[in-house]
């Protein structure tokens, strides 16, 4: 009966429209960012190509039903881990995996540099969603014990890709994995008796470490073997003006750019401040400077709209697996946006992760399109069963 | 169908479903909070703080640019120019942060057609640069593809090091022949380019006009000026050369723009908005008054476009030339004194006993204001080119070299005697040889064996050593008993030295010149207290001696000597000095612990040195046309002779004095270290030289008084230098 509906009815036009808006914002921001001519490359056509490839990915992903992903979850997860493993074991000297900027995170393919970790995020979500679903199917009666077992299983699933990514090293992406896990722990329905102590304890520990990094660095470096450069990251975040490291300078230029945008911004192409990497990780500085508070808020709100839309879809879905996948995708996008925008406005320390759909970059865009493709698929293949009403009771 | 379990399962599923919805809401709410934080933070940065950031950006765009404001000039007390600026035409080039080397070559090429530039100072790497630029294809072939690949494959090198390595290989393979193939025109381009490239961004570099040997001709200046529009970064301007009209070393020196800020003080100056090629004072007055002499550069605001290119330059602050200094010295007096001292130094250094005579110093100051009226130091040296003996300026030695001063310190001993209550005014003590167990007897020069009762006045007049020794015994709280050993203790040394320091002996004078040295303080060995009391132990500089006699002359105020009298605005019309910005007022460092009467008594004693029947300076001063007082001194010293391999005993000759007796206007100190071999020492010739120096002062003063009566406004007029000796800054290095 679901087949009675045509393509146009089942396709999520709203979501497509939001992505289209991001494409437009992305092209405007990148074209302004590259006016400094620091790279001598025109990124606009490249980004367009990535968007086209991304759309094709969405099309392919949408073609398959969520049920199929559910079945294949572990294989997909396995492929992702395998890619990370390959990247890890191949020698640095090999041109294919040569480290860039001190991190071995990319396969240098003829079509461009591909970062497996970007895809692994989505694969991990699939694996985790499947894990949770299966766990709940096997343990209909939830107890603290079954919840703990679930938690351990999730931990194991997390630790495998995380270990590979952290040694690349890639702190930003590692944090994304943590964010996804945290969100799914909440949504998976694990009892508050476990969640609260863990989260509060984690927050407390983080706060304490931060406090100690500022006031007791000797204690930390003597007893826990922290390196001075790790404190440097904290200082350059909290007080970039007196701690003029590279990161501190980066933050200052970013703050100058965004702050001087004031309410309405300077207009397209009128930016003055040169922020390094402003076509990728620091693209928000361009938006903040040229379009001011109004423009920056609109972009942030557009992300919120996307999240809101995804949440709405999630709540409509009847199938638990799809719900978990969506929740993971929501967490992934949220964390990217919050961390990326946050680091440009001194809300969070600088870590290298891109702004989804806007920053220039093939892997990142394809990874995100893959995730969004899954949402499209769920929406597209979503069925309203006759007896669903009973189920909802 | 097993309905019940199914139903139960469905129940569970529904429960789970509801739970997921609830949890999703919590997740969504958390996300809402996070996004709210982003928006709030953005609002704070862009709305609350937005203007601050905008201002911050505007501020960093303002750059002080070296516009070559003239440095302040230095005048003598009569308004004669001692250090001047000569304007000269200059062609400058200012590099922007974004300027590329191709642009600079282009401009260098255009300029080479307009101006003549001697291709001097071109290095091999300059030639290589040019060759690489001219022959890009050949250059590429110098390193084969194979070699390139090998370097590229080297894992130990990063990208930069790799290109560096290729560059190094390429350069090493350019042949000498290729480098020597340039035409004179091309060499000129290279010479111009190397100056352009050597500058820092936003800091004008003088392409031509900073070398005396190569001045910018009027035609060149005009040719370049006409084409400024095509020559981005090039400017025609006026630069200044520093020219001294006196050989007086304490005027100090400045660096040349091509040398710029001395490396060891780079941070100091850069922190004060100097550019690296600024002319800065590196010694004496030029250094001490750097902040005054250095003008304020104009500040321009570079308006940049989105790519950091400067599209417009607005002047925010016009800049100010440096302030002028008026010195306390009258160059006529100074020069006359220099001549006298140089003449005498030459004469005595040529005499038999003057083998080790190398230096002579003389300082004359106003005892009430501390104004240094003349500051002379001369040394025997040899001409750099001919090697012939000549007298050179060594004025700074007067406050950087310390010597044992001998009897000239006796007034200080007597004042210390009063202060410590050993005796009071008009007290008498028996002058007799002092016999101390285990050492040779010590006596006064005028009384080697007898026993004569002398008063404090006579002690100064005849320079009694024994009076001072007995004072020292008293300060130590001991009575002199012949043929006993002595044990004074450190307390006595401290008392004595503190008494001296009050007067200026053994404390820094605080003169406004860098590098002043305090003399050397000896130890506390018992017998040496007696030597200390007659100036044969601790050492003092000539300037300390001059301050000491000033303190006595003015009645007990230790006054800070200074060489700068006024700081003035630069002259507006070139005829009159500018208005006074700051007048240096007398600074009393401390007042001595003696009563007026005690100081007056010492002054009287010093008067008797000049005019008393048995005064030691009577021979030269008894018939002086002025009143005053003084004290002579000879100190035993020794000079190590490297050729002979051992030391020879010499004598230091010293003289201090003040005149006239009432309200003295001058106080002076003359020091001639190692004046004579002790073996051939006959007479203290410093006394006669001192008389000649003082006479000269009064003579010039009298002459000037006659002329100033005719022209009363003369002090604020700028007058030409007293001599024609011009020392260009270039010759100073």
């Amino acid at each position: 009966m679901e087949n009675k509906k045509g393509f146009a009815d089942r396709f999520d036009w709203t979501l497509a429209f939001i992505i289209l808006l991001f494409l437009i914002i992305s092209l405007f921001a990148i074209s302004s960012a590259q006016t400094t001519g620091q790279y001598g490359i025109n990124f606009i056509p490249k980004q367009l190509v990535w968007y086209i490839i991304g759309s094709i990915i969405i099309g392919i992903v949408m073609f398959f039903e969520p049920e199929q992903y559910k079945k294949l979850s572990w294989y997909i997860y396995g492929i992702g881990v395998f890619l990370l493993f390959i990247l890890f074991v191949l020698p640095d000297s090999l041109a294919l995996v040569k480290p860039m900027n001190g991190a071995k995170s990319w396969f240098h393919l003829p079509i461009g540099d591909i970062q497996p970790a970007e895809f692994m995020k989505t694969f991990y979500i699939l694996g985790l969603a499947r894990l949770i679903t299966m766990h709940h199917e096997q343990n209909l009666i939830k107890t603290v014990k079954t919840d703990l077992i679930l938690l351990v299983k999730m931990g194991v699933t997390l630790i495998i890709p995380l270990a590979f990514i952290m040694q690349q090293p890639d702190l930003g992406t590692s944090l994304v994995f943590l964010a996804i896990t945290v969100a799914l722990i909440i949504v998976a329905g694990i009892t508050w008796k476990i969640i609260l102590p863990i989260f509060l304890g984690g927050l407390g520990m983080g706060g304490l470490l931060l406090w100690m990094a500022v006031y007791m660095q000797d204690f930390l470096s003597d007893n826990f073997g922290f390196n001075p450069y790790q404190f440097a990251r904290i200082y350059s975040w909290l007080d970039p003006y007196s701690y003029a490291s590279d990161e501190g300078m980066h933050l200052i230029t970013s703050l100058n750019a965004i702050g001087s945008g004031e309410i309405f911004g300077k207009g397209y192409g009128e930016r003055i401040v040169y922020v390094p990497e402003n076509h990728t990780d620091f693209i928000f500085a361009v938006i903040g400077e040229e379009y001011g508070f109004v423009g920056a808020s609109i972009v942030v709100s557009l992300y919120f709209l996307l999240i809101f839309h995804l949440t709405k879809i999630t709540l409509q879905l009847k199938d638990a697996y799809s719900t978990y996948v969506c929740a993971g995708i929501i967490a992934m996008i949220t964390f990217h946006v919050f961390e990326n925008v946050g680091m440009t406005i001194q809300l969070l320390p600088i870590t290298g992760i891109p702004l989804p759909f806007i920053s220039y970059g093939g892997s990142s865009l394809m990874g995100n399109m893959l995730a969004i493709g899954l949402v499209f698929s769920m929406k597209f293949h979503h069925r309203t069963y006759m007896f669903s009403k009973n189920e909802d009771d | 169908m097993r309905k019940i379990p199914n139903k139960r399962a469905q129940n569970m599923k529904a429960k789970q479903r509801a739970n997921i919805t609830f949890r999703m809401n919590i997740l969504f709410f958390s996300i809402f909070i996070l996004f709210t934080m982003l928006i709030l933070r953005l609002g704070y940065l862009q709305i609350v703080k937005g203007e601050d950031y905008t201002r911050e950006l505007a501020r960093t765009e303002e750059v002080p640019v070296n516009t070559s404001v003239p440095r302040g000039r230095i005048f003598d007390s009569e308004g004669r120019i001692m250090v001047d600026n000569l304007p000269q035409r200059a062609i400058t080039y200012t590099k922007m942060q974004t300027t590329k080397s191709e642009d600079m070559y282009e401009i260098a090429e255009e300029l080479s057609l307009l101006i003549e530039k001697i291709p001097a100072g071109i290095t091999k790497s300059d030639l290589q640069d040019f060759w690489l630029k001219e022959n890009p294809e050949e250059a590429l072939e110098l390193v084969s593809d194979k070699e390139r690949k090998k370097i590229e494959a080297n894992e130990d090198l990063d990208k930069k090091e790799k290109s560096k390595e290729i560059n190094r290989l390429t350069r090493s393979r350019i042949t000498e022949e290729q480098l020597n193939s340039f035409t004179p025109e091309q060499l000129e381009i290279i010479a111009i380019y190397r100056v352009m490239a050597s500058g820092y961004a936003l800091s004008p570099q003088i392409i031509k006009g900073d070398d005396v040997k190569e001045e910018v001709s009027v035609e060149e200046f005009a040719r370049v000026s006409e084409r400024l529009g095509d020559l981005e970064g090039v400017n025609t301007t006026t630069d200044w050369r520093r020219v001294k009209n006196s050989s007086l070393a304490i005027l100090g020196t400045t660096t040349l723009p091509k040398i710029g800020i001395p490396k060891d003080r780079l941070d100091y100056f850069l922190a004060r908005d100097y550019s690296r090629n600024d002319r800065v004072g590196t010694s004496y007055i030029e250094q001490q008054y750097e902040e005054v002499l250095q003008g304020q550069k104009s500040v321009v605001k570079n308006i940049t476009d989105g790519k950091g290119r400067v599209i417009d330059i607005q002047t925010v602050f016009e800049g100010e030339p440096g302030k002028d200094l008026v010195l306390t010295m009258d160059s006529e007096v100074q020069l006359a004194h220099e001549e006298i001292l140089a003449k005498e130094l030459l004469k005595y250094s040529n005499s038999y006993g003057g083998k080790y005579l190398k230096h002579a110093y003389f300082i004359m100051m106003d005892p009430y204001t501390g104004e240094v009226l003349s500051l002379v130091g001369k040394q025997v040296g040899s001409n750099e080119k001919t090697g012939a003996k000549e007298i050179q300026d060594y004025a700074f030695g007067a406050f950087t070299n310390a010597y044992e001063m001998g009897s000239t310190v006796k007034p200080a001993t007597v004042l210390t005697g009063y202060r410590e209550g050993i005796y009071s005014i008009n007290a008498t003590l028996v002058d007799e040889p002092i016999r101390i167990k285990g050492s040779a007897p010590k006596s006064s020069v005028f009384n080697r064996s007898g026993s004569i009762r002398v008063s404090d006045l006579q002690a100064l007049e005849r320079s009694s050593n024994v009076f001072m020794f007995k004072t020292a015994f008293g300060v130590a709280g001991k009575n002199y008993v012949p043929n006993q050993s002595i044990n004074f203790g450190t307390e006595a040394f401290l008392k004595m030295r503190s008494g001296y320091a009050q007067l200026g002996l053994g404390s820094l004078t605080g003169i406004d010149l860098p590098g002043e040295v305090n003399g050397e303080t000896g130890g506390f060995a018992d017998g040496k207290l007696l030597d200390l009391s007659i100036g044969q132990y601790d050492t003092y500089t000539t300037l300390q001696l001059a301050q000491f006699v000033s303190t006595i002359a003015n009645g007990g105020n230790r006054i800070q000597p200074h060489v700068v009298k006024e700081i003035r605005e630069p002259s507006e019309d070139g005829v009159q000095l500018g208005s006074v910005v700051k007048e240096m007022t007398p600074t009393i460092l401390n007042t001595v612990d003696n009563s007026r009467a005690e100081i007056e008594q010492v002054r009287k004693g010093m008067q008797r040195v000049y005019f008393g029947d048995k005064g030691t300076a009577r021979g030269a001063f008894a018939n002086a046309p002025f009143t005053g007082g003084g004290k002579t001194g000879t100190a035993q010293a020794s000079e190590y002779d490297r050729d002979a391999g051992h030391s020879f005993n010499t004598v230091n000759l010293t003289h201090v004095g003040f005149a006239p007796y009432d309200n003295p206007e001058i106080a002076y100190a003359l020091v001639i270290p190692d004046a004579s071999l002790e073996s051939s020492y006959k007479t203290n010739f410093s006394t006669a030289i001192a008389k000649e120096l003082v006479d000269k002062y009064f003579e010039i003063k009298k002459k000037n008084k006659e002329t100033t009566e005719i022209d009363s406004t003369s002090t604020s007029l700028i007058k030409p230098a007293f001599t024609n000796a011009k020392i260009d800054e270039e010759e100073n290095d």
Side-chain angles (χ1 to χ4, degrees):
Chain A
M1 59 197 88
E2 72 278 1
N3 291 335
K4 280 179 189 166
K5 287 190 177 172
F7 174 85
D9 292 322
R10 292 161 60 198
F11 186 74
D12 191 339
W13 292 106
T14 318
L15 189 53
F17 181 66
I18 292 174
I19 300 297
L20 182 69
L21 287 181
F22 278 123
L23 166 66
I24 293 167
I25 294 171
S26 173
L27 295 184
F28 267 95
I30 292 173
S31 78
S32 177
Q34 66 186 13
T35 48
T36 313
Q38 66 270 48
Y39 297 101
I41 304 170
N42 187 358
F43 292 110
I44 296 292
K46 289 189 143 206
Q47 180 78 343
L48 256 178
V49 169
W50 287 125
Y51 254 98
I52 292 167
I53 296 176
S55 309
I56 295 170
I57 290 178
I58 289 182
I60 296 170
V61 172
M62 208 172 79
F63 181 76
F64 295 99
E65 291 187 25
E67 197 57 31
Q68 286 163 307
Y69 291 111
K70 186 176 173 184
K71 282 178 194 150
L72 291 173
S73 288
W74 287 121
Y75 299 102
I76 297 174
Y77 173 85
I79 290 169
V81 171
F82 180 69
L83 285 177
L84 289 174
F85 173 74
I86 293 286
L87 188 66
F88 171 64
V89 290
L90 287 180
D92 287 7
S93 52
L94 202 69
L96 178 69
V97 295
K98 216 160 73 66
M100 254 173 22
N101 302 329
K104 192 176 157 195
S105 312
W106 292 269
F107 285 118
H108 305 287
L109 300 177
I111 50 158
D113 296 338
I114 299 296
Q115 192 177 359
E118 289 288 348
F119 300 97
M120 188 63 218
K121 286 184 275 198
T122 311
F123 297 167
Y124 171 65
I125 293 170
L126 292 179
L128 211 54
R130 157 90 190 208
L131 176 98
I132 299 167
T133 322
M134 294 313 287
H135 177 87
H136 285 322
E137 279 171 14
Q138 285 155 9
N139 303 282
L140 286 176
I141 320 266
K142 262 164 38 92
T143 60
V144 172
K145 191 181 157 201
T146 59
D147 277 358
L148 271 176
I149 292 169
L150 174 60
L151 208 57
V152 171
K153 286 196 261 184
M154 288 172 78
V156 174
T157 318
L158 166 69
I159 208 79
I160 299 168
L162 192 65
F164 283 117
I165 290 165
M166 283 186 81
Q167 63 76 37
Q168 288 180 345
D170 187 347
L171 178 65
T173 309
S174 307
L175 291 175
V176 178
F177 276 82
L178 286 179
I180 293 169
T181 315
V182 166
L184 282 178
I185 287 175
I186 295 175
V187 181
I190 291 178
T191 173
W192 294 112
K193 286 177 208 160
I194 300 174
I195 297 182
L196 279 180
I198 292 180
F199 284 5
L200 292 180
L203 273 179
M205 272 297 284
L208 183 71
L209 272 178
L210 188 61
W211 183 84
M212 282 166 84
V214 175
Y215 296 105
M216 291 177 66
Q217 57 264 60
D218 289 344
F219 180 79
L220 282 184
S221 50
D222 293 349
N223 295 299
F224 297 98
F226 280 94
N227 274 320
Y229 73 84
Q230 288 168 313
F231 298 129
R233 190 183 281 260
I234 302 289
Y235 301 145
S236 59
W237 164 42
L238 294 176
D239 190 3
Y241 292 95
S242 43
Y243 203 91
S245 62
D246 282 356
E247 266 173 20
M249 280 309 294
H250 214 150
L251 180 55
I252 290 173
T253 52
S254 170
L255 285 174
N256 280 343
I258 295 173
S260 65
E262 301 194 42
I263 298 180
F264 299 107
K266 301 171 187 175
Y268 171 73
E270 295 296 314
R271 67 189 179 79
I272 297 172
V273 187
Y274 169 62
V275 184
E277 289 175 49
N278 61 2
H279 67 304
T280 56
D281 291 358
F282 277 82
I283 198 154
F284 194 75
V286 176
I287 296 169
E289 184 175 3
E290 295 194 342
Y291 307 102
F293 177 71
V294 174
S297 305
I298 289 175
V299 171
V300 171
S301 305
L302 191 60
Y303 279 112
F304 189 70
L305 195 68
L306 174 69
I307 301 293
F308 176 70
H309 183 74
L310 293 183
T311 310
K312 223 171 61 187
I313 293 174
T314 313
L315 292 176
Q316 285 168 4
L317 294 173
K318 297 293 176 285
D319 153 41
Y321 171 77
S322 301
T323 313
Y324 297 138
V325 172
C326 277
I329 291 169
I330 288 170
M332 175 176 92
I333 293 175
T334 303
F335 185 79
H336 267 272
V337 174
F338 186 66
E339 164 63 36
N340 182 283
V341 175
M343 77 180 179
T344 62
I345 56 179
Q346 210 187 6
L347 206 57
L348 291 169
I350 293 181
T351 43
I353 62 173
L355 191 59
F357 307 109
I358 296 184
S359 284
Y360 172 77
S363 297
S364 150
L365 189 61
M366 288 198 292
N368 287 319
M369 289 300 222
L370 179 71
I372 288 296
L374 288 171
V375 179
F376 270 113
S377 156
M378 285 161 193
K379 179 86 186 188
F380 194 77
H381 300 287
H382 174 56
R383 293 151 208 201
T384 322
Y385 295 101
M386 290 236 293
F387 48 84
S388 65
K389 216 163 172 2
N390 294 336
E391 233 182 3
D392 270 359
D393 282 347
Chain B
M1 278 197 159
R2 285 167 296 171
K3 219 173 178 185
I4 293 165
N6 208 354
K7 181 86 190 169
R8 197 174 148 207
Q10 276 191 9
N11 248 340
M12 286 307 297
K13 266 196 164 172
K15 237 176 143 181
Q16 196 187 329
R17 182 72 235 167
N19 194 23
I20 287 181
T21 309
F22 174 66
R23 294 291 177 99
M24 272 308 290
N25 281 325
I26 288 182
L27 185 67
F28 184 71
F29 182 70
S30 314
I31 292 169
F32 174 74
I33 302 274
L34 293 180
F35 276 75
T36 311
M37 279 165 73
L38 288 183
I39 300 277
L40 286 178
R41 175 77 187 161
L42 275 172
Y44 174 75
L45 279 181
Q46 299 189 295
I47 299 173
V48 182
K49 289 275 176 183
E51 281 180 30
D52 293 350
Y53 283 109
T54 307
R55 233 176 293 130
E56 172 77 9
L57 285 186
R59 194 176 67 80
T60 53
E61 293 295 311
E62 279 179 21
V63 195
V65 166
N66 181 355
T67 42
S68 191
V69 288
R71 201 175 163 82
R73 299 192 285 180
I74 303 177
F75 299 90
D76 80 348
S77 62
E78 301 298 308
R80 301 186 190 101
I81 297 185
M82 295 185 86
V83 181
D84 200 1
N85 296 315
L86 281 188
Q88 59 180 5
R89 289 178 292 274
I91 294 168
T92 64
Y93 176 74
T94 312
K95 194 159 64 169
M96 294 299 159
Q97 287 112 320
T98 48
T99 308
K100 297 197 179 78
S101 68
E102 303 98 77
D103 306 340
M104 288 198 282
Y105 270 121
E106 221 167 86
I107 287 172
E109 209 170 325
E110 283 174 54
L111 266 182
S112 72
L113 303 173
L114 301 174
I115 62 171
E116 296 293 319
K117 173 94 186 161
I118 303 168
I122 297 176
T123 63
K124 194 172 171 187
S125 88
D126 292 330
L127 293 173
Q128 288 171 340
D129 284 341
F130 192 71
W131 190 89
L132 289 175
K133 184 219 141 220
E134 290 286 290
N135 308 287
E137 274 157 32
E138 282 177 58
L140 218 60
E141 284 165 17
L142 285 179
V143 179
S144 68
D145 280 354
K146 210 173 163 189
E147 284 169 312
R148 267 172 217 276
K149 272 193 185 137
K150 202 177 154 199
I151 293 169
E152 285 295 340
N154 190 343
E155 284 305 314
D156 299 336
L157 305 174
D158 63 28
K159 240 184 188 163
K160 251 189 200 162
E161 287 168 326
K162 280 173 189 168
S163 63
K164 223 175 173 180
E165 177 61 20
I166 294 175
N167 190 342
R168 193 191 61 78
L169 260 182
T170 314
R171 280 169 184 268
S172 70
R173 291 182 185 168
I174 304 174
T175 61
E176 288 293 322
E177 226 170 294
Q178 284 167 324
L179 290 184
N180 292 330
S181 66
F182 297 126
T183 62
E185 289 78 26
Q186 284 176 315
L187 287 176
E188 202 179 354
I189 297 173
I190 298 171
I192 294 172
Y193 173 79
R194 79 181 292 278
V195 182
M196 290 165 71
S198 69
Y200 296 89
L202 298 172
S203 164
Q205 200 69 16
I206 299 175
I207 292 177
K208 190 175 177 184
D210 62 342
D211 197 323
V212 238
K213 290 160 225 131
E214 202 186 1
E215 285 179 358
V216 177
S217 71
V218 182
E219 293 77 25
E220 284 177 328
F221 198 78
R223 276 202 296 267
V224 175
S225 295
E226 279 167 17
R227 290 169 181 80
L228 285 183
D230 309 331
L231 303 165
E232 201 190 320
V234 176
N235 201 4
T236 47
T237 174
T238 308
D239 191 41
W240 307 88
R241 311 175 60 74
R242 200 89 173 135
V243 178
K244 279 198 277 190
N245 295 322
S246 157
S247 61
L248 186 60
I250 60 154
L251 290 173
T253 49
T254 54
T255 58
L256 290 174
K258 58 185 161 196
I259 292 155
I261 302 174
K263 280 216 174 66
D264 53 331
R265 302 188 66 204
L266 198 62
D267 288 341
Y268 174 89
F269 284 115
L270 289 184
R272 285 158 179 77
D273 271 348
Y274 281 69
S275 359
R276 286 166 194 266
N277 59 351
D278 273 341
R279 185 189 269 112
V280 297
T282 46
S283 64
Y284 303 109
I285 294 177
E286 295 267 20
Q287 182 188 338
Q288 183 83 17
Y289 288 93
E290 169 66 31
E291 277 169 39
V292 177
L293 291 167
Q294 180 79 35
Q296 279 174 296
K297 297 171 190 176
S298 64
V299 177
V300 298
K301 191 173 176 176
N302 288 318
I303 311 296
T304 49
D305 64 5
K307 289 158 195 156
R309 287 186 305 223
V310 177
I311 47 172
D312 189 21
I313 296 174
Q314 291 174 358
T315 305
V316 179
F317 172 66
E318 278 294 349
E320 254 176 35
K323 303 230 180 340
D324 289 348
L325 295 181
V326 176
L327 302 189
T328 54
M329 290 172 246
D330 175 343
S331 48
E332 189 178 359
V333 174
Q334 168 77 21
L335 212 70
H337 283 168
E338 281 186 34
E339 270 170 24
I340 291 169
L341 212 61
K343 177 192 78 191
E344 299 290 342
L345 182 59
L346 191 64
K347 184 174 103 193
Y348 285 107
S349 72
N350 282 333
S351 73
Y352 174 70
K355 192 174 175 194
Y356 300 107
L357 172 53
K358 290 276 178 286
H359 303 109
Y361 311 101
F362 178 68
I363 290 177
M364 181 180 276
M365 56 189 265
D366 183 324
Y368 286 99
T369 62
E371 289 179 6
V372 175
L373 303 173
S374 68
L375 196 163
V376 187
K378 292 286 167 188
Q379 72 172 344
V380 181
S382 51
N383 190 297
E384 256 174 58
K385 285 165 197 153
T386 62
K389 189 174 187 174
E390 66 173 13
I391 303 296
Q392 296 162 341
D393 191 89
Y394 195 57
F396 50 88
F399 52 89
T400 58
N401 284 350
Y403 303 96
E404 287 175 24
M405 294 303 190
S407 305
T408 38
V409 309
K410 282 175 182 166
T413 311
V414 174
L415 283 170
T416 306
Y418 296 142
R419 195 167 77 99
E420 295 296 326
I422 317 301
Y423 41 68
S424 51
I425 292 170
N426 290 326
T428 56
L429 293 172
V430 176
D431 187 291
E432 60 192 343
I434 297 286
R435 292 170 209 285
I436 288 159
K437 199 176 164 186
S439 62
K442 289 168 175 282
S443 60
S444 299
V445 176
F446 71 90
N447 173 26
R448 285 296 180 204
S449 55
S451 181
I452 306 167
R453 187 161 274 278
V454 291
S455 70
D456 45 4
L457 294 179
Q458 286 167 320
L460 290 173
E461 177 182 358
R462 307 186 71 179
S463 200
S464 165
N465 286 344
V466 177
F467 192 92
M468 307 305 146
F469 294 154
K470 288 192 170 170
T471 306
F473 271 96
V475 169
K478 309 272 175 194
N479 281 319
Y480 165 61
V481 182
N483 298 318
Q484 282 205 337
S485 56
I486 47 173
N487 176 22
F488 290 136
T490 55
E491 185 79 357
F493 279 92
L494 295 176
K495 280 184 186 168
M496 196 83 116
R497 282 180 180 140
S498 111
Y500 283 11
Q502 286 190 5
L503 292 151
L505 295 174
S507 40
L508 287 174
T509 66
I511 193 169
D512 53 345
L513 288 173
E516 190 195 354
V517 157
N518 201 351
E520 223 174 292
T521 306
F524 300 97
D526 282 323
K528 295 291 184 188
L529 187 68
L530 301 184
D531 292 337
L532 179 66
S533 72
I534 58 165
Q536 287 275 73
Y537 193 36
D538 290 356
T539 64
Y540 312 109
T541 63
T542 313
L543 186 64
Q544 285 176 327
L545 214 55
Q547 189 183 50
F548 152 69
V549 69
S550 294
T551 310
I552 293 172
N554 68 28
N557 292 323
R558 187 162 80 92
I559 201 109
Q560 183 176 3
H562 56 95
V563 294
V564 171
K565 192 166 132 192
E566 292 161 348
I567 297 171
R568 283 174 179 264
E569 291 290 350
S571 168
E572 276 167 22
D573 50 9
V575 179
Q576 287 220 313
L577 289 170
S579 58
V580 175
V581 177
K582 187 182 174 193
E583 196 170 353
M584 305 300 173
T585 48
T587 308
I588 293 168
L589 299 170
N590 62 273
T591 306
V592 295
D593 285 342
N594 288 95
S595 69
R596 283 259 148 204
E598 286 164 354
I599 292 169
E600 188 53 35
Q601 183 77 353
V602 169
R603 279 163 48 89
K604 264 186 209 158
M606 291 173 76
Q607 188 184 30
R608 287 170 75 153
V609 172
Y610 278 2
F611 302 105
D613 292 341
K614 293 191 167 124
T616 53
R618 179 183 165 73
F621 282 90
N623 299 319
F626 51 81
T627 59
K631 183 75 194 77
T632 59
T634 52
Q636 289 172 342
S638 67
E639 183 68 19
Y640 183 75
D641 189 317
R642 226 174 279 158
D643 299 332
H646 63 92
S647 296
F648 287 92
N649 284 338
T650 57
V651 288
N652 297 342
L653 298 183
T654 58
H655 185 101
V656 296
F658 57 88
Y661 186 79
D662 295 314
N663 300 319
E665 57 186 81
I666 53 169
Y668 44 89
L670 172 66
V671 174
I672 309 175
D674 300 316
S676 170
L677 278 168
E678 196 178 25
S679 53
S680 56
Y681 171 63
K682 288 188 198 79
T683 161
N684 187 339
F685 54 78
S686 73
T687 315
I689 301 175
K691 171 73 173 11
E692 196 182 348
L693 290 162
V694 175
D695 276 344
K696 196 72 191 175
Y697 169 78
F698 283 115
E699 181 194 317
I700 292 170
K701 190 192 156 197
K702 197 177 157 200
K703 191 196 81 192
N704 283 350
K705 212 176 172 189
E706 283 160 10
T707 51
T708 45
E709 267 165 18
I710 303 162
D711 181 10
S712 60
T713 59
S714 63
T715 44
S716 60
L717 282 179
I718 295 176
K719 296 177 198 130
F722 196 74
T723 55
N724 292 324
K726 268 202 165 60
I727 302 174
D728 200 278
E729 57 180 3
E730 296 252 343
E731 295 159 31
N732 268 332
D733 335 310

